[in-house]
Amino acid sequence: MTALAADGWEVAAASRGGGRDENWPDGVRAVALDRDEEGALAALVGDGCDVLVDVVAFDTGHARQLGALAGRIGSAVVVSSGAVYRDERGRSFDTQDEPDGFPRYPVPIPESQATVEPGGATYGTRKVALERELLALGERLPTTLLRAGAIHGRHCRSPRELYFVRRALEGRPVRVLAYGGRSRFHPVHVSNLAELIRLAAARPGARVLNAGDPDVPTVAEISAGVDAVLGVKSETVLVEGAPPPGGVGLTPWSGVHPVVYDMAAAERELGYRPVTTYADALPATVEWMAGALAGRDWREVFPNLVKYEEAWFPYAAEDAWLAERGRA
């Protein structure tokens, strides 16, 4: 919002709650909107708008909702996902839990990489269906689709960094990391995503672009970075290969092969230059999380992550595995 407002756009920020960030410029108008309510989005667009930015579009239904307003929207910028990609053997994030199912992508992954088939079964197939519906509109509604990596930053509702932040705040002294701690899953900070949106809004087109930070840290580097921000010193135990039973050492970034997105097209087509790096942005994210968690249960602060509790925090299995190796 801030980046668009700074470029001179009159910005209306729509969300279910209709709230606003304290750092937004005064001119940004906050609006409550349930996009699934019949006619609600059309009513908000009214006689028209120059650019519609959609960060929650998910499937063909949302794509058709935007397409129905094509005559009233100058262009659109829509957030998609890197989960759409598949490797040469057909493996994708949808197959990662199968034996030998983790995809082996080229490093880095260009936008020309093959994708999973469109459909309604999974997150990735729905995002592909969304993309194809919107790209088919062509000049009727020029849409930039941003295939985002692992989004991070202050106010994130599902921060992967909680995996390490919680352990640090609870005084757990050991970090077990599978795959030798070398796993890399491309992150994108909200400010870098905002910069891509700002540039795409000024240069409409029907295109697909990757969205990622300039650095892609290993999971061991992320762990060390979180500890450094919180002033914690922990022992790192590296497991070569897959996680031990019980998910010990399996983090939200873990994978046997790296996932790195090629940012050359965004640089070439939009003149994109990153606003920050993962390393530089991490302290503010971690400090915000620690402040939000102070004196509160993490489930209350981040309810979206409760479903991952057993996968992210298998403390009993972790303690048992460490005890077998003589570590408390």
Side-chain angles (χ1 to χ4, degrees):
M1 303 306 167
T2 301
L4 290 170
D7 267 8
W9 296 96
E10 293 182 14
V11 180
S15 65
R16 282 183 180 271
R20 59 177 296 115
D21 188 282
E22 60 185 14
N23 296 317
W24 287 353
D26 292 339
V28 174
R29 179 168 58 97
V31 181
L33 173 72
D34 181 352
R35 73 176 305 155
D36 294 323
E37 180 184 335
E38 185 68 28
L41 181 59
L44 177 62
V45 171
D47 293 334
C49 63
D50 293 318
V51 180
L52 188 146
V53 178
D54 195 339
V55 301
V56 295
F58 185 51
D59 54 21
T60 54
H62 291 155
R64 290 166 186 170
Q65 186 183 47
L66 298 180
L69 300 173
R72 289 188 270 166
I73 301 172
S75 68
V77 185
V78 177
V79 176
S80 184
S81 170
V84 302
Y85 291 119
R86 64 174 173 86
D87 71 7
E88 62 181 11
R89 290 176 51 185
R91 296 173 300 188
S92 68
F93 288 171
D94 292 338
T95 64
Q96 62 183 322
D97 293 329
E98 301 173 6
D100 193 30
F102 198 92
R104 185 190 288 270
Y105 297 123
V107 178
I109 307 168
E111 289 86 350
S112 58
Q113 179 70 21
T115 67
V116 297
E117 291 300 312
T122 68
Y123 179 78
T125 60
R126 290 182 182 184
K127 282 290 192 178
V128 171
L130 168 82
E131 288 186 359
R132 294 193 182 180
E133 286 274 347
L134 290 172
L135 291 173
L137 295 172
E139 292 305 310
R140 288 182 54 217
L141 179 57
T143 300
T144 297
L145 289 146
L146 298 175
R147 289 175 175 166
I151 299 174
H152 63 103
R154 295 173 67 248
H155 305 302
C156 180
R157 297 175 63 192
S158 303
R160 289 170 172 83
E161 288 74 16
L162 181 66
Y163 182 94
F164 292 121
V165 170
R166 184 186 171 200
R167 283 172 167 79
L169 294 178
E170 293 178 349
R172 294 184 66 82
V174 181
R175 311 284 180 265
V176 183
L177 302 178
Y179 306 115
R182 294 182 295 272
S183 297
R184 293 195 297 158
F185 178 28
H186 207 147
V188 58
H189 189 258
V190 288
S191 64
N192 288 330
L193 190 56
E195 177 66 1
L196 286 161
I197 291 170
R198 182 186 75 84
L199 293 169
R203 302 181 185 182
R207 59 169 82 92
V208 174
L209 297 172
N210 287 331
D213 290 339
D215 54 334
V216 188
T218 66
V219 68
E221 291 169 337
I222 294 172
S223 174
V226 171
D227 280 359
V229 174
L230 295 176
V232 171
K233 290 187 177 180
S234 61
E235 177 187 2
T236 300
V237 177
L238 301 179
V239 176
E240 290 298 332
V248 176
L250 184 65
T251 78
W253 300 270
S254 294
V256 63
H257 306 303
V259 179
V260 179
Y261 302 120
D262 191 342
M263 293 303 298
E267 295 168 2
R268 181 176 62 251
E269 295 188 26
L270 298 180
Y272 169 69
R273 296 294 181 271
V275 174
T276 190
T277 65
Y278 184 90
D280 287 343
L282 184 63
T285 301
V286 172
E287 289 165 3
W288 161 74
M289 291 179 64
L293 289 166
R296 301 173 66 190
D297 189 292
W298 70 271
R299 301 170 190 82
E300 174 190 352
V301 181
F302 300 113
N304 284 3
L305 294 179
V306 173
K307 60 186 175 183
Y308 299 119
E309 181 170 8
E310 291 185 10
W312 286 19
F313 307 113
Y315 284 177
E318 197 172 279
D319 291 343
W321 187 85
L322 288 168
E324 289 175 0
R325 284 149 185 81
R327 291 182 170 88

